[in-house]
Amino acid sequence: MLTAEVTVPVPPEQAFAPLADGWLYASWVVGASHIGAVDPGWPAVGSRIHYRFGLWPVLISDTTVVRAVDAPHRLELEARLWSVGAASIRLTLTATDAGHTRIRMIERAVRGPARWVPGPAQDLVFAARNQESLDRLADVIRARAQNH
């Protein structure tokens, strides 16, 4: 299973903070273009982000829901993919040396036709997108660290 990964120069609590702010979702998730609403209590299990993905003028509304959380170490999401189904996304944050955090992301299709695609083929589809998402998340984390 291919895993996207970045390391950021902050402890897990600081690295998790942007994940805990649902309004920042579109700033780091590739494809998400507009946040319409974030359920109160995000990222509590069952809470949702309501967003649009795509490029204007073709925007599709959907949701991402929290399936599990162990802040600041793990966040598991289920992102709906319109008629294509849904994907399970696991983000894990691990403290490394000298106040750094390694963030890993794994994504798998769990509903719809895409779930029948073999894992290695899913890796090819998701790998570059997930690495770009984590690179964007790392930029958000670094910018927030500089401003605090």
Side-chain angles (χ1 to χ4, degrees):
M1 186 176 297
L2 214 74
T3 303
E5 181 178 307
V6 295
T7 299
V8 291
V10 298
E13 294 77 15
Q14 276 185 274
F16 192 84
L19 299 173
D21 184 345
W23 292 101
L24 293 177
Y25 190 75
S27 68
W28 64 273
V29 174
V30 172
S33 60
H34 176 79
I35 303 301
V38 177
D39 287 356
W42 176 272
V45 172
S47 60
R48 296 176 187 272
I49 294 174
H50 306 264
Y51 62 94
R52 290 188 213 137
F53 68 91
L55 297 172
W56 186 90
V58 182
L59 295 173
I60 299 167
S61 296
D62 233 320
T63 59
T64 291
V65 62
V66 176
R67 292 295 180 210
V69 62
D70 178 19
H73 305 290
R74 181 174 49 96
L75 181 62
E76 294 183 23
L77 307 170
E78 184 175 300
R80 293 188 50 211
L81 304 170
W82 190 49
S83 63
V84 178
S88 173
I89 301 153
R90 178 183 299 156
L91 294 141
T92 56
L93 293 81
T94 307
T96 62
D97 59 316
H100 287 66
T101 301
R102 181 177 49 245
I103 305 171
R104 290 185 171 155
M105 176 190 260
I106 298 172
E107 182 171 2
R108 278 289 180 254
V110 293
R111 286 196 318 228
R115 75 176 173 192
W116 301 112
V117 174
Q122 286 189 40
D123 287 344
L124 290 174
V125 171
F126 293 136
R129 178 183 166 274
N130 289 347
Q131 188 60 55
E132 176 63 20
S133 290
L134 283 188
D135 290 345
R136 291 178 184 188
L137 178 60
D139 289 342
V140 170
I141 292 166
R142 287 184 195 102
R144 289 171 60 112
Q146 288 176 352
N147 293 326
H148 285 25

